[in-house]
């Protein structure tokens, strides 16, 4: 299993653990389940007894996490909740119904995070900002100096450009949600390292799960790699829309890159027009 799958799986496991589900079983094909049931019954034991010996709550968690792929008109949406039929087969009591996790709960859980080596050098954790029910989420790389100072994402020069781009598609910054793949500033604004992304991205995935946006816009290659695991250069991928869990992801250049390469602003504008068209088609 590659690192991206591992970190996505870890995020889902953590999500289910927060719901109070303590054990996870891989969903088996019907034929194998039937075979196991008949073997157990041949031993004179009832199948349900055999599957619930621990007495704990159990859930069926689909292990397969979809490979990123260019979105088709009617995309296959991966199932992330246990199917009721499978639950009844394992005789597990239903999971307690509760509202989905809120951003406040996730932020509380993050707390004064010391989970990676970025903690000692940060001023403020930059959790994220915007509408908790936004249809559109922007994900950048990590906080810079201004963000670290204020505890808010995209507030420096790159942030001003992002604001202009958001306005260019007739939206307001308050209507979207903005965050980064790591929540603490990497020293000298370097790219976040693998262990830092691994420590921080489960919180990002939980934020996405809480917001359930229609579209995520990855700003820059690090966000693209974290969400989609794509190793190709961003130049070849930008402007395309991919499936990610139950939502879609559009890849665009990071505004900081545009500030260094102003001729590419036209490209960023084109990608924002795609965002506008996508959201317009899904009111
Ligand atoms: S970058 Fe994320 S994981 Fe690392 S210390 Fe900051 S909040 Fe915690």
């Amino acid at each position: 299993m590659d690192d991206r799958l591992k970190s996505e799986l870890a995020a889902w496991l953590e999500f289910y653990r927060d719901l109070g589900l303590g054990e996870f079983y891989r969903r088996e094909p019907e034929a194998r389940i039937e075979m196991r049931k008949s073997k157990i019954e041949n031993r004179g034991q009832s199948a349900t007894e055999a599957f619930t010996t621990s007495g704990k709550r159990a859930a069926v968690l689909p292990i397969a996490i979809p490979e990123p792929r260019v979105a088709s008109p009617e995309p296959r949406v991966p199932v992330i909740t246990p199917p009721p039929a499978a639950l009844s087969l394992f005789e597990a009591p239903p999971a307690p119904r509760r509202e989905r996790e809120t951003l406040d709960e996730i932020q509380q859980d993050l707390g004064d995070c010391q989970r990676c080596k970025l903690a000692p050098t940060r001023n403020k954790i930059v959790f994220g900002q915007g509408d908790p029910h936004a249809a559109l989420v922007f994900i950048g790389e990590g906080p810079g100096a201004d963000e670290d100072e204020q505890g808010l994402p995209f507030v420096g020069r790159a942030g001003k450009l992002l604001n202009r781009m958001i306005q260019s598609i007739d939206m307001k910054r308050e209507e979207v949600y903005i965050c980064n793949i790591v929540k603490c500033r990497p020293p000298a604004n370097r790219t976040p390292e693998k262990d830092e992304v691994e420590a921080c991205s489960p919180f990002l995935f939980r934020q996405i799960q809480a917001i359930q946006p229609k579209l995520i816009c990855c700003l820059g290659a690090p966000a693209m790699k974290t969400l989609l695991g794509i190793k190709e250069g961003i130049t070849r991928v930008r402007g395309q829309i991919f499936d990610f869990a139950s939502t879609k992801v559009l890849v665009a250049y990071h505004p900081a890159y545009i500030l260094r390469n102003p001729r590419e602003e036209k490209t960023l504008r084109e990608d924002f027009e795609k965002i506008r068209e996508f959201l317009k088609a899904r009111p």
Side-chain angles (χ1 to χ4, degrees):
M1 191 184 291
D2 69 27
D3 291 339
R4 183 186 62 83
L5 289 183
K6 273 189 206 160
S7 83
E8 283 190 13
L9 184 56
W12 288 126
L13 289 173
E14 202 162 329
F15 172 70
Y16 278 95
R17 203 172 296 124
D18 288 345
L19 293 178
L21 298 169
E23 290 187 4
F24 301 93
Y25 296 89
R26 183 171 167 168
R27 181 148 49 109
E28 296 182 65
E30 288 296 323
R32 278 183 60 190
I33 291 171
E34 284 308 315
M35 205 168 70
R36 284 181 63 192
K37 278 179 72 180
S38 73
K39 269 189 191 168
I40 290 161
E41 279 160 4
N42 286 344
R43 294 203 304 261
Q45 201 177 2
S46 102
T48 31
E49 273 167 26
F51 284 124
T52 58
T53 47
S54 72
K56 292 182 190 167
R57 274 206 299 271
V60 178
L61 177 67
I63 292 295
I65 293 173
E67 285 301 316
R69 60 195 174 87
V70 178
S72 52
E74 286 302 325
R76 180 176 59 89
V77 180
V79 180
I80 59 166
T81 46
L87 273 177
S88 67
L89 178 66
F90 287 92
E91 285 290 297
R97 290 195 72 81
R98 54 161 280 183
E99 295 299 314
R100 67 175 186 246
E101 194 174 35
T102 66
L103 291 175
D104 285 345
E105 286 167 341
I106 299 166
Q107 192 163 11
Q108 263 183 18
D109 187 21
L110 183 71
D112 181 29
C113 185
Q114 305 289 325
R115 291 172 178 84
C116 84
K117 61 183 185 296
L118 295 179
T121 53
R122 71 163 182 246
N123 276 310
K124 289 187 177 157
I125 292 180
V126 181
F127 181 74
Q129 185 188 35
D131 182 349
H133 307 294
L136 175 61
V137 168
F138 290 98
I139 301 177
E141 184 176 325
D146 295 314
E147 289 78 14
D148 180 57
E149 189 70 31
Q150 298 181 41
L152 295 170
F154 282 88
V155 287
R157 283 180 63 225
K160 289 195 173 70
L161 175 54
L162 178 61
N163 293 349
R164 282 213 315 277
M165 288 292 160
I166 293 170
Q167 283 160 9
S168 78
I169 55 168
D170 299 319
M171 292 186 80
K172 296 183 189 132
R173 184 177 162 117
E174 310 83 77
E175 290 176 301
V176 306
Y177 192 85
I178 307 174
C179 53
N180 288 298
I181 54 172
V182 292
K183 303 186 187 312
C184 300
R185 184 190 181 199
N189 292 351
R190 64 159 168 75
T191 303
E193 292 173 358
K194 190 167 167 269
D195 57 322
E196 296 157 0
V197 173
E198 279 174 4
C200 210
S201 57
F203 290 93
L204 171 66
F205 296 141
R206 285 167 64 185
Q207 285 170 284
I208 294 169
Q209 178 74 10
I211 299 168
Q212 297 196 357
K214 288 180 186 154
L215 182 66
I216 297 168
C217 177
C218 281
L219 296 168
M224 171 189 84
K225 284 177 190 161
T226 301
L227 260 72
L228 303 173
I230 292 175
K231 294 190 175 70
E232 278 182 83
I234 189 168
T235 310
R236 298 184 60 185
V237 175
R238 59 137 285 275
Q240 294 187 52
I241 294 180
F242 296 85
D243 289 326
F244 174 75
S246 56
T247 188
K248 306 280 184 194
V249 174
L250 180 137
V251 177
Y253 287 137
H254 195 288
Y257 171 79
I258 304 299
L259 291 174
R260 295 192 300 272
N261 302 274
R263 276 192 303 185
E264 293 288 3
E265 183 167 330
K266 184 173 158 285
T267 317
L268 190 60
R269 282 191 185 280
E270 284 170 15
D271 291 343
F272 268 71
E273 281 306 317
K274 285 181 187 156
I275 293 176
R276 187 212 294 270
E277 281 163 27
F278 181 94
L279 294 177
K280 200 169 148 194
R282 292 160 184 82

